[in-house]
């Protein structure tokens, strides 16, 4: 089969995360600048070489003060560590309908850990302009403290301001490169 190269379609893709605030509600954030590159044998993504990079300074939660804090040394330290990265290492087929577990190395700041993400393959389609696209829904969770994102504050009831668990959700549309 012919090797195909794919890149992210940023206008039809999003990377989001959710974190509990005061342990009672979720705050949603996103990375607005990111890249995804994939190389496949034909259209088989279960053996693809995939890399993802997000610009940590592009983090957005809809609140400038919170975003500035997230970019600071208390969290992502965007000045020192301008990118977070993911590189796929292994795929496990869950069923024959396009669901699989994707394992890979996630690097935040200077810490790299293996993570597992659930992937739902939405299929491949040609858009009205002749571009071949592939769609994916991706979810998972990480413990932010394992990546050196340790800042927190205690509440008067003995709880914490920010949970350790971060839920990840992404909608990714890739474009085949000609």
């Amino acid at each position: 089969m012919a090797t195909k190269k794919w890149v992210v379609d940023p206008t039809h893709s999003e990377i989001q995360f959710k974190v509990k605030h005061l342990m009672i509600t979720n705050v949603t954030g996103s990375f607005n600048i990111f890249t995804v590159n994939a190389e496949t044998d034909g259209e088989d993504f279960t053996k693809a070489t995939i890399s993802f990079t997000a610009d940590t300074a592009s983090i957005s939660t809809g609140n400038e003060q919170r975003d500035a804090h997230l970019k600071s040394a208390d969290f992502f330290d965007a000045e020192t560590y301008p990118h977070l990265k993911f590189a796929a290492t292994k795929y496990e087929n869950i069923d024959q309908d396009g669901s699989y577990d994707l394992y890979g190395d996630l690097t935040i700041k200077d810490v790299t850990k293996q993570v597992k993400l659930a992937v739902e393959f939405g299929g491949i389609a040609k858009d009205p302009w002749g571009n071949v696209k592939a769609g994916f829904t991706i979810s998972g969770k990480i413990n932010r403290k394992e990546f050196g994102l340790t800042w927190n504050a205690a509440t008067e009831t003995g709880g914490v301001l920010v949970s350790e668990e971060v839920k990840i959700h992404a909608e990714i549309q890739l474009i085949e490169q000609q």
Side-chain angles (χ1 to χ4, degrees):
M1 283 192 188
T3 299
K4 295 187 178 196
K5 293 185 185 228
W6 305 77
V7 297
V8 71
D9 177 349
T11 60
H12 296 105
S13 300
E14 59 188 20
I15 306 294
Q16 294 184 319
F17 60 89
K18 291 186 182 288
V19 141
K20 286 269 189 201
H21 179 258
L22 290 173
M23 309 313 288
I24 59 172
T25 58
N26 284 307
V27 169
T28 302
S30 61
F31 290 97
N32 295 325
I33 300 172
F34 57 91
T35 61
V36 180
N37 292 291
E39 194 170 294
T40 60
D41 287 329
E43 295 177 344
D44 182 4
F45 283 90
T46 62
K47 297 178 184 125
T49 302
I50 297 173
S51 64
F52 163 83
T53 301
D55 181 340
T56 54
S58 76
I59 197 166
S60 175
T61 64
N63 179 289
E64 282 185 37
Q65 184 178 355
R66 180 174 44 229
D67 294 349
H69 190 204
L70 289 169
K71 294 173 193 176
S72 78
D74 282 346
F75 287 97
F76 287 100
D77 196 359
E79 192 171 308
T80 305
Y81 304 101
H83 300 102
L84 63 86
K85 299 175 183 179
F86 175 84
T89 58
K90 179 175 128 183
Y91 303 84
E92 285 183 354
N93 197 354
I94 301 293
D95 58 29
Q96 300 307 311
D97 284 341
S99 295
Y100 54 93
D101 286 337
L102 172 61
Y103 295 84
D105 294 328
L106 176 63
T107 302
I108 300 175
K109 294 173 99 168
D110 59 351
V111 179
T112 301
K113 299 270 185 195
Q114 187 175 81
V115 298
K116 176 177 132 179
L117 302 170
V119 177
E120 181 182 325
F121 178 53
I124 296 176
K126 191 177 277 194
D127 71 14
W129 301 273
N131 298 302
V132 176
K133 297 191 172 186
F136 305 87
T137 298
I138 302 164
S139 61
K141 59 185 174 181
I142 63 168
N143 182 320
R144 66 183 180 88
K145 285 191 169 187
E146 292 179 357
F147 293 92
L149 306 175
T150 59
W151 183 90
N152 220 333
T155 63
E156 66 182 39
T157 60
V160 292
L161 192 61
V162 183
S163 71
E164 291 180 19
E165 182 180 89
V166 178
K167 294 179 182 176
I168 300 166
H169 181 80
E171 294 292 335
I172 301 294
Q173 196 171 105
L174 298 178
I175 307 169
E176 180 185 351
Q177 299 300 284
Q178 301 299 326

